Amino acid sequence: MTDFFRRQIFNIIAAVFLALFVLVWATVLLRVGTWVPTGTAEAPELNGALVTAAGVLATSLSSLTASALGFTIAEVKRDSAAAGDTSTLVSPAQVATRLSGRVIFAIMVYMTMGMLVLVVWLFKGQASTDLIGAFALSLLGWLVGAAGVVFQTEKTGA
């Protein structure tokens, strides 16, 4: 049993982190998505711990996935240059094959939750919180950066 945990420790850490991310953001989405305006309140009240946890987890996952993509692209470029390829572009397929399953899964989780947040933000309008808006805008920025990388790495020949 101990050997299993030793071999799987990184997968366990990643799973716990991603589960926390999903749980916290699902809680935020549920509170905001089901909130009905009452009296003078313009948006639902979220406690400070939930807001802090949601912000830290969203920022962390965004940074982790973006840096993993950047490092992988740099690694592919370095290996291509070492092999004599003078092109500054790399194949997206080469980058994708070098990404670990954990990174790919983290990117999918981030984008899925982010798209749900974006939808809630767009449909709830002013009734959504600043937290929702901040994450939605962060996701859009991340997607623009990722799209830039995808289009920059595209090779047309070879």
Side-chain angles (χ1 to χ4, degrees), residues 70-150:
F71 286 128
T72 305
I73 290 168
E75 183 180 279
V76 169
K77 280 185 176 183
R78 183 195 68 223
D79 291 349
S80 293
D85 185 359
T86 58
S87 171
T88 58
L89 300 176
V90 298
S91 166
Q94 287 178 306
V95 174
T97 58
R98 292 220 187 162
L99 289 172
S100 74
R102 286 188 300 266
V103 171
I104 292 170
F105 189 67
I107 290 169
M108 295 291 107
V109 167
Y110 179 75
M111 287 194 314
T112 301
M113 288 305 293
M115 293 307 289
L116 291 172
V117 168
L118 182 63
V119 167
V120 167
W121 182 54
L122 292 174
F123 284 104
K124 290 298 266 190
Q126 288 185 337
S128 69
T129 64
D130 289 341
L131 177 66
I132 295 284
F135 184 28
L137 290 173
S138 173
L139 171 77
L140 291 175
W142 188 95
L143 286 172
V144 167
V149 167
V150 167

Side-chain angles (χ1 to χ4, degrees), residues 6 10 12 23 27 32 47 49 51 54 56 71 89 92 103 125 138 154:
R6 284 184 195 180
F10 291 127
I12 293 167
L23 178 67
T27 302
V32 172
N47 71 45
V51 170
V56 167
F71 286 128
L89 300 176
V103 171
S138 173
E154 189 172 36

Side-chain angles (χ1 to χ4, degrees), residues 2-63:
T2 305
D3 285 343
F4 171 78
F5 286 116
R6 284 184 195 180
R7 283 181 281 136
Q8 297 300 321
I9 190 69
F10 291 127
N11 290 335
I12 293 167
I13 292 169
V16 168
F17 179 78
L18 292 174
L20 269 173
F21 173 79
V22 170
L23 178 67
V24 167
W25 275 99
T27 302
V28 170
L29 288 175
L30 186 63
R31 288 187 183 175
V32 172
T34 60
W35 183 76
V36 178
T38 57
T40 60
E42 293 182 12
E45 288 288 325
L46 300 174
N47 71 45
L50 182 63
V51 170
T52 301
V56 167
L57 290 168
T59 302
S60 299
L61 190 53
S62 172
S63 299

